[in-house]
């Protein structure tokens, strides 16, 4: 008795191509979102703050896309250390350019929700970019894609919002990658039990 024949599996693209596509799409969504809403420069932001935040976004986007692309293969090795360091540096960058003033939770919630709109858009695109993953890596890919989506929302709202109050920036802007990373993790955990 002969064994059943299965159609050949289409090989995955190289990780760098997948990472480049995912990062490019996320950046395009974030930058076009910031452009559509209109750019507002927060008072008190100097070159050091912009430089640090630029490094933060580069670390977040590249680290998340590389990790997710690596984890699409069962043998892929990656880490979320770069994106996690990016989040910590983001808090430092936001603190560097911000001032302590009256914290208005409603304004922070509005920024979080506007940023989340762009995070949702990015997450939907990531569902197309990362369609196939190894069963044991799905939660990792979803977490990395969620953090990436949060960074996209963070960049979009950071380009638009002129408020530079410390707690507003931390809760309304900087927490987006953390929140969306948790959403990605729990969505994958519930979907792939």
């Amino acid at each position: 008795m002969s064994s059943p024949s299965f159609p050949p599996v289409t090989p995955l693209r190289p990780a760098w191509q997948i990472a480049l596509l995912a990062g490019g799409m996320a950046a395009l969504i974030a930058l076009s979102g910031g452009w559509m809403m209109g750019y507002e420069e927060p008072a008190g932001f100097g070159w050091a703050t912009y430089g640090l935040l630029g490094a933060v976004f580069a670390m977040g986007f590249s680290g998340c896309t590389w990790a997710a692309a690596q984890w699409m293969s069962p043998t892929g090795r990656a880490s979320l250390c770069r994106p996690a360091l990016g989040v910590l540096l983001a808090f430092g960058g936001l603190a560097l350019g911000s001032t302590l003033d009256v914290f208005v939770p409603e304004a922070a919630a509005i920024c979080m929700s506007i940023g989340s709109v762009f995070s949702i858009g990015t997450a939907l695109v990531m569902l197309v970019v990362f369609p196939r993953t190894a069963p044991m890596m799905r939660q990792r890919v979803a977490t990395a894609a969620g953090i990436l989506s949060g960074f996209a929302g963070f960049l979009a709202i950071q380009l638009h919002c002129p408020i530079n109050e410390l707690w507003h920036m931390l809760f309304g802007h900087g927490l987006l990658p953390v929140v969306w990373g948790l959403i990605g993790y729990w969505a994958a955990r519930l979907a792939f039990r």
Side-chain angles (χ1 to χ4, degrees):
M1 187 168 168
S2 65
S3 62
S5 64
F6 296 101
V9 175
T10 307
L12 292 171
R13 292 188 176 279
W16 69 268
Q17 289 180 0
I18 297 167
L20 193 61
L21 176 64
M25 294 301 291
L28 181 65
I29 291 169
L31 294 173
S32 62
W35 176 76
M36 282 186 325
M37 292 185 297
Y39 174 69
E40 298 278 340
E41 182 173 351
F45 268 36
W47 64 269
T49 303
Y50 282 118
L52 189 54
L53 287 177
V56 160
F57 290 121
M59 288 173 69
F61 277 69
S62 64
C64 291
T65 56
W66 182 251
Q70 283 292 313
W71 287 329
M72 285 183 69
S73 164
T75 59
R77 302 238 180 262
S79 160
L80 285 176
C81 287
R82 251 187 298 171
L85 181 60
V87 170
L88 291 176
L89 287 175
F91 291 155
L94 293 174
L96 186 65
S98 64
T99 59
L100 279 174
D101 204 351
V102 177
F103 175 55
V104 181
E106 295 80 14
I110 289 170
C111 280
M112 176 70 83
S113 60
I114 292 171
S116 290
V117 168
F118 296 101
S119 296
I120 290 169
T122 305
L124 292 174
V125 170
M126 293 307 115
L127 286 174
V128 175
V129 173
F130 300 114
R132 297 175 299 160
T133 59
M136 61 195 139
M137 303 282 193
R138 285 186 175 140
Q139 287 178 342
R140 291 181 183 185
V141 171
T143 302
I147 296 170
L148 174 64
S149 299
F151 269 112
F154 179 14
L155 178 56
I157 197 63
Q158 192 63 42
L159 291 172
H160 172 66
C161 179
I163 299 172
N164 72 339
E165 197 279 322
L166 175 64
W167 299 110
H168 174 88
M169 286 228 213
L170 293 180
F171 290 116
H173 301 192
L175 274 183
L176 279 161
V178 176
V179 168
W180 280 91
L182 290 171
I183 289 171
Y185 171 80
W186 283 106
R189 186 167 179 152
L190 292 172
F192 303 114
R193 286 189 168 191

